[in-house]
Amino acid sequence: FHASGTTIAAWAQKLSDEMKQYGCPPQFPPEIFEPTYTTGSKRRYRRVETPRWIMLEKNGIPVEDIPKFADPRHWIDHYGRLALNDATRLGCHIDVRRSFVTTDANPFFDSFVRWQSARLQEKRLLTLEKRHSIYSPMDGRPCSDQDRASGEGVGPQEYIVVKLRVRDPGSFDALKPHAAVFEGKDLVLPAATLRPETVVGQTNVWLSPKVVYKAFDVRFPGAAKSEIWLTTAKAARNMAY
């Protein structure tokens, strides 16, 4: 039985968070079922994220058994039995006496994979390369498509950041109270674009009065001095990874 690893762990964690936040059984507020809208390149998408508790209820799991699914190993035991039962009902003749589960839930299988990887590494048959990937700061590791509790199908997106330098920032009334922050340094407004070829004809830069901007000290390798980037905390966090 192949266990999907971090996908199961993500679902179990999501269920655990729901019970901690809304009780057991959870009492979900009405606003959690309100749709959220995300904008793609040409379309506006409507999305409603169904809580994991309700998903398990719709799958026929008794209410008293749902809290057990906060343990990732319970998913393996429960759905492994269902898979075997369904295969039997389909008329499959399977000898399950030598069946096993993948991932570190099975220490024997886990040790075999570790041994195999070590041998391949010794023979220089494994190489390590770099690739763009979605990263999870919470887990401290790359988060592949099916490993996420939400956001499946979202891939890495390349953005071009255009560094717009502010000339004489001390002359702007909005920046004068913060002159000490960027004194002696270049003040940069980083603008992200998917179409860098259009930057040539750019005439205006707009800042929203409803957005909270912060100043970040940015130093590039080999640079003589750092720069002050004026951007949002979310954008700075994303660029840090």
Side-chain angles (χ1 to χ4, degrees):
F1 298 97
H2 172 62
S4 55
T6 48
T7 306
I8 294 176
W11 273 65
Q13 184 61 51
K14 185 73 172 179
L15 178 64
S16 178
D17 293 342
E18 290 174 359
M19 292 190 292
K20 289 178 182 177
Q21 185 172 359
Y22 302 111
C24 183
Q27 302 297 319
F28 296 109
E31 57 267 21
I32 202 173
F33 301 103
E34 295 179 359
T36 57
Y37 294 90
T38 56
T39 303
S41 58
K42 296 182 179 179
R43 299 179 181 178
R44 196 164 180 251
Y45 299 92
R46 180 180 182 274
R47 181 174 66 88
V48 179
E49 184 173 346
T50 305
R52 296 301 180 267
W53 182 284
I54 294 179
M55 287 184 179
L56 290 170
E57 275 189 312
K58 290 182 177 180
N59 275 277
I61 306 298
V63 173
E64 60 273 15
D65 290 341
I66 293 180
K68 299 177 183 178
F69 288 86
D71 179 3
R73 294 182 184 273
H74 184 70
W75 290 75
I76 300 173
D77 296 335
H78 178 82
Y79 284 104
R81 290 193 300 269
L82 288 183
L84 180 59
N85 182 60
D86 289 346
T88 302
R89 292 176 61 192
L90 283 170
C92 299
H93 298 280
I94 303 173
D95 183 357
V96 298
R97 289 176 297 177
R98 300 179 66 183
S99 64
F100 61 91
V101 177
T102 62
T103 74
D104 59 357
N106 182 341
F108 300 101
F109 177 83
D110 186 60
S111 62
F112 164 71
V113 173
R114 292 175 181 272
W115 172 84
Q116 184 184 51
S117 299
R119 297 292 84 76
L120 293 174
Q121 186 72 35
E122 289 176 359
K123 296 178 181 294
R124 298 184 179 182
L125 296 175
L126 293 180
T127 59
L128 298 178
E129 303 293 341
K130 294 181 179 181
R131 64 179 177 86
H132 294 289
S133 178
I134 302 296
Y135 182 78
S136 172
M138 183 179 69
D139 299 318
R141 55 181 292 175
C143 188
S144 60
D145 190 45
Q146 295 184 350
D147 292 342
R148 304 171 204 148
S150 61
E152 186 173 343
V154 177
Q157 174 67 64
E158 182 183 25
Y159 274 85
I160 303 298
V161 177
V162 181
K163 295 167 59 175
L164 304 175
R165 301 185 186 277
V166 181
R167 294 183 178 179
D168 192 15
S171 63
F172 294 91
D173 292 338
L175 296 176
K176 284 180 180 178
H178 311 286
V181 175
F182 51 82
E183 184 177 1
K185 299 180 180 180
D186 289 339
L187 180 62
V188 175
L189 303 179
T193 178
L194 295 172
R195 298 180 60 193
E197 69 277 6
T198 63
V199 176
V200 178
Q202 181 180 354
T203 58
N204 292 15
V205 177
W206 301 94
L207 277 73
S208 173
K210 299 180 180 179
V211 175
V212 176
Y213 296 95
K214 295 186 177 183
F216 295 89
D217 194 292
V218 179
R219 180 185 292 273
F220 290 96
K225 62 179 181 179
S226 60
E227 303 170 335
I228 300 299
W229 284 28
L230 197 64
T231 184
T232 64
K234 181 179 181 181
R237 181 173 180 261
N238 287 338
M239 287 188 287
Y241 291 100

